[in-house]
């Protein structure tokens, strides 16, 4: 085999090896956080598609939240505290009001030096579907999240709505 | 061919960003579903001007607000009975067709702060996102 041919074979083998490594390498923590959030959105979306609402998935929803989770929607809305409260609220959502899809965009993850907590900044897109006309409308909101790794899983510990356009002086 | 593809990629990735509008807050100027381009270089050598329609980023560049700049840094902005007041003077806004009697208390814009609002004032103020935004959130000017 000539030298150029050997070099070509080595290059191809190296490229295949690199591709396999890239595909199979263990995900880093920021990637795991993103995957966890995508999975959370999938869970919410599944509940809106199968007509069962969140009631059937309350236990699954709990797995994504820390026990002391806090949600702050901003001015005029009192904070919601505790996993049980949030799951209870989701439980009361009627399937017919749940005609929406949730999607996270521009998810930026900053891991804390301890490695077991992360700050996340993202845009949540909610695509609502009108029950009567079937027409879709999109609403987007910016959120800041604190996530903690509990028992090997990343969980949402705090959600704060970010006012992109500020009204209060 | 490769050069053309490269130029197109660079242009539409970093200079003229294609966006599709959603919602009705910019009616009648822009309706939902319209394809527009955002010039990311528009404010490299100059600052946003009153009347410019700008794209404002949320957490990142994939979801944007499209709004009109009505207030510039240091100005006092309020809305009284649907009419925008800048430093106490009514602002002429030929792009607004319908107005509901919005009332927004006066705010003084800080350094690097702009007041942005949609053209559709015929909707309820509570359903319309508007307010102050920092310059670094303005991704570019909406053109075409």
């Amino acid at each position: 085999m000539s030298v150029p041919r050997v070099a070509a074979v080595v290059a191809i083998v190296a490229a295949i090896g690199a591709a396999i490594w890239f595909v199979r390498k263990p995900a880093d923590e920021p990637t795991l956080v993103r995957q966890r959030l995508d999975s959370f959105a999938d869970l919410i979306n599944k509940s809106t598609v199968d007509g069962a609402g969140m009631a059937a998935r309350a236990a699954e929803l709990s797995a994504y939240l820390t026990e002391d989770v806090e949600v702050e929607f901003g001015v005029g809305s009192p904070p919601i505290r505790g996993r049980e409260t949030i799951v209870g609220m989701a439980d009361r959502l009627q399937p017919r009001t749940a005609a929406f899809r949730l999607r996270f965009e521009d998810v930026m993850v900053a891991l804390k030096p301890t490695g077991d907590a992360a700050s996340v900044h993202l845009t949540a897109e909610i695509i609502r579907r009108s029950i009567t006309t079937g027409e879709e409308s999109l609403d987007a909101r910016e959120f800041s999240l604190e996530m903690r790794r509990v028992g090997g899983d990343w969980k949402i510990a705090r959600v704060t709505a970010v006012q992109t356009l500020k009204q209060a002086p | 061919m490769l050069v053309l593809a490269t130029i197109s990629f660079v242009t539409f990735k970093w200079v003229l960003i294609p966006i599709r509008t959603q919602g009705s807050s910019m009616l009648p100027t822009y309706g939902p579903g319209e394809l527009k381009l955002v010039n990311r270089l528009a404010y490299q050598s100059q600052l946003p001007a009153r009347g410019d329609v700008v794209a404002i980023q949320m957490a990142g560049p994939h979801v944007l607000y499209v709004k009109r700049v009505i207030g510039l840094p240091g100005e006092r902005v309020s809305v009284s009975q649907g009419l925008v007041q800048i430093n106490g003077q009514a602002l002429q806004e030929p792009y607004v067709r319908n107005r509901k009697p919005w009332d927004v208390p006066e705010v003084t814009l800080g350094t690097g702060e702009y007041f942005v609002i949609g053209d559709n004032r015929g909707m309820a103020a509570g359903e319309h996102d508007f307010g102050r935004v920092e310059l670094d959130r303005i991704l570019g000017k909406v053109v075409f």
Side-chain angles (χ1 to χ4, degrees), chain B residues 12-34:
Chain B
F12 293 114
K13 179 86 177 164
W14 287 290
V15 184
L16 288 173
I17 314 297
I19 57 165
R20 189 170 291 282
T21 56
Q22 296 274 351
S24 58
S25 75
M26 277 302 288
L27 284 171
T29 311
Y30 301 141
E34 289 184 30

Side-chain angles (χ1 to χ4, degrees), chain A residues 105-106 108 122-123 125 138 140-142 162 164-169, chain B residues 22 57-63 65 107 116 129-133 137:
Chain A
E105 288 279 1
D106 294 322
M108 279 166 284
L122 55 79
T123 304
E125 280 188 330
L138 185 141
R141 285 283 175 272
E142 195 177 336
V162 176
T164 312
L165 306 179
K166 297 173 183 70
Q167 282 199 22
Chain B
Q22 296 274 351
Q57 61 180 7
M58 303 180 103
H62 292 101
V63 186
Y65 275 122
V107 289
V116 296
D129 290 328
F130 61 92
R132 294 175 290 129
V133 67
R137 287 232 185 216

Side-chain angles (χ1 to χ4, degrees), chain A:
Chain A
M1 211 187 268
S2 65
V3 172
R5 203 170 272 186
V6 170
V9 169
V10 169
I12 290 167
V13 169
I16 292 170
I20 291 171
W21 173 82
F22 185 78
V23 170
R24 303 191 65 169
K25 72 177 167 129
D28 56 12
E29 292 301 328
T31 305
L32 289 174
V33 170
R34 285 191 191 92
Q35 287 172 349
R36 187 75 172 149
L37 287 167
D38 284 341
S39 155
F40 175 71
D42 287 345
L43 173 69
I44 302 281
N45 294 339
K46 251 193 273 175
S47 70
T48 70
V49 169
D50 64 13
M54 279 313 299
R57 293 203 160 84
E60 284 180 73
L61 180 66
S62 299
Y64 288 87
L65 309 171
T66 61
E67 209 175 323
D68 58 350
V69 60
E70 278 191 30
V71 180
E72 283 197 52
F73 286 115
V75 186
S77 306
I80 305 165
R81 292 196 177 93
R83 181 166 61 195
E84 277 182 29
T85 311
I86 290 170
V87 172
M89 288 169 79
D91 198 37
R92 288 192 294 275
L93 268 180
Q94 294 301 308
R96 64 183 177 80
T97 63
F100 66 86
R101 281 199 320 278
L102 174 68
R103 190 167 62 198
F104 296 130
E105 288 279 1
D106 294 322
V107 181
M108 279 166 284
V109 181
L111 206 62
K112 298 275 167 71
T114 53
D116 58 357
S119 295
V120 182
H121 189 197
L122 55 79
T123 304
E125 280 188 330
I126 295 166
I127 301 132
R128 289 198 183 85
R129 196 177 58 252
S130 162
I131 303 290
T132 46
T133 63
E135 222 171 89
E136 287 193 337
S137 63
L138 185 141
D139 192 13
R141 285 283 175 272
E142 195 177 336
F143 288 96
S144 168
L145 276 68
E146 294 297 325
M147 295 192 64
R148 284 206 298 265
R149 194 165 48 190
V150 182
D153 285 330
W154 283 100
K155 299 191 179 202
I156 299 167
R158 187 177 178 83
V159 180
T160 311
V162 176
Q163 259 195 304
T164 312
L165 306 179
K166 297 173 183 70
Q167 282 199 22

Side-chain angles (χ1 to χ4, degrees), chain B residues 3 22 32 49 51 55 58 107 127 139 142 144:
Chain B
V3 172
Q22 296 274 351
M58 303 180 103
V107 289
E127 293 170 5
L139 189 72
V142 178
F144 309 120

Side-chain angles (χ1 to χ4, degrees), chain B residues 48-105:
Chain B
R50 195 184 333 276
D52 284 359
V53 177
V54 296
I56 298 152
Q57 61 180 7
M58 303 180 103
H62 292 101
V63 186
L64 305 166
Y65 275 122
V66 172
K67 301 285 173 193
R68 192 179 292 276
V69 174
I70 59 158
L72 305 176
E75 291 182 335
R76 289 179 288 116
V77 181
S78 64
V79 183
S80 175
Q81 288 296 297
L83 290 172
V84 172
Q85 311 272 326
I86 305 292
N87 295 333
Q89 301 287 314
L91 179 68
Q92 298 302 314
E93 295 186 284
Y95 39 80
V96 176
R97 294 277 189 274
N98 303 305
R99 290 178 201 273
K100 284 207 168 160
W102 296 9
D103 282 308
V104 179

Side-chain angles (χ1 to χ4, degrees), chain B residues 33-46:
Chain B
E34 289 184 30
L35 190 64
K36 298 286 164 198
L37 293 171
V38 176
N39 178 4
R40 288 190 78 160
L41 303 182
Y43 301 125
Q44 294 296 311
S45 57
Q46 59 183 28

